[in-house]
Amino acid sequence: MQNKDHDHLIEQLQHIAAGLGQTLAPFCEVVLHDLRDPHSTVLAIHNNLSGRQPGDPATELGLARIADPAYPQVLANYPNHFPDGRQAKSTSIGIKDDEGNYVAALCMNVDLSLFRSLHSLLGQFGSVDANAAIQESLDPAGADAIRARIDQFAARLATTPRALKADERRNLLRELKGAGLLDLRRAMEITAQHLGVSRATVYNYAK
């Protein structure tokens, strides 16, 4: 591949890096490396989380790719960390020319610190006291039985409740009615929600 072809490839990768940077902002740093010059590989950096700058040298991974065309082309979701100690999840994609030599690398580094804080907050907010004396359910009595019967019906047809066809839904409603499940409180509403259709549709099938 001629140098002008390399240049065109790098130019297209710059657009890809910019698009990924905008899509994944602000939690993911996107770095485009030009591996033709190991002393100055960082060509572009979007959502800068690492403090690096264009013109910075190659990382150890970049040097490994330059030295060995057989080095893995895709390294996904490997643990990493930023210079200030924040934990990161990184993915590095090597780009080869038509002769099999590495020309560039597109790298993404996700800052995990915010997500871990959010996970902790959600865990705390969603926690309940399993030993509490009060036991209450906001679900109507028999709702689980209706959903279970619908799931069993769909499983027999090797499909899911929401993927049932119109004639299959009619057969289902006949089965639910025959089992007395439609006599339960809010049975039509529960059935409609589980099938992903309106209550009017369920009433129509039940006729």
Side-chain angles (χ1 to χ4, degrees), residues 13-77:
L13 287 169
Q14 289 196 57
H15 294 299
I16 295 173
L20 287 172
Q22 293 176 34
T23 301
L24 302 175
F27 312 111
C28 179
E29 176 184 82
V30 180
V31 186
L32 176 61
H33 293 271
D34 184 343
L35 299 182
R36 294 176 295 179
D37 181 4
H39 302 292
S40 178
T41 66
V42 177
L43 184 63
I45 185 165
H46 305 275
N47 310 325
N48 196 327
L49 299 174
S50 63
R52 288 176 294 174
Q53 299 297 327
D56 281 357
T59 61
E60 293 179 0
L61 194 156
L63 293 174
R65 280 204 173 105
I66 294 171
D68 183 9
Y71 196 84
Q73 194 155 3
V74 177
L75 297 172
N77 298 322

Side-chain angles (χ1 to χ4, degrees), residues 136-203:
E136 180 185 37
S137 174
L138 302 178
D139 216 8
D144 286 343
I146 295 173
R147 296 186 188 110
R149 192 62 172 261
I150 294 173
D151 290 339
Q152 291 169 7
F153 180 90
R156 293 202 305 267
L157 299 176
T159 186
T160 63
R162 295 191 172 224
L164 291 172
K165 299 175 183 177
D167 58 334
E168 294 169 341
R169 291 173 186 160
R170 291 189 182 92
N171 291 335
L172 168 64
L173 266 293
R174 281 195 287 269
E175 185 173 305
L176 293 177
K177 185 175 182 179
L181 293 173
L182 294 186
D183 297 329
L184 299 174
R185 184 170 68 91
R186 292 177 52 198
M188 292 299 193
E189 180 181 348
I190 295 165
T191 301
Q193 289 175 345
H194 206 56
L195 293 177
V197 298
S198 67
R199 279 187 293 177
T201 300
V202 172
Y203 278 112

Side-chain angles (χ1 to χ4, degrees), residues 74-90:
V74 177
L75 297 172
N77 298 322
Y78 59 88
N80 207 339
H81 63 274
F82 294 111
D84 61 3
R86 283 172 298 159
Q87 291 186 318
K89 179 176 74 170
S90 298

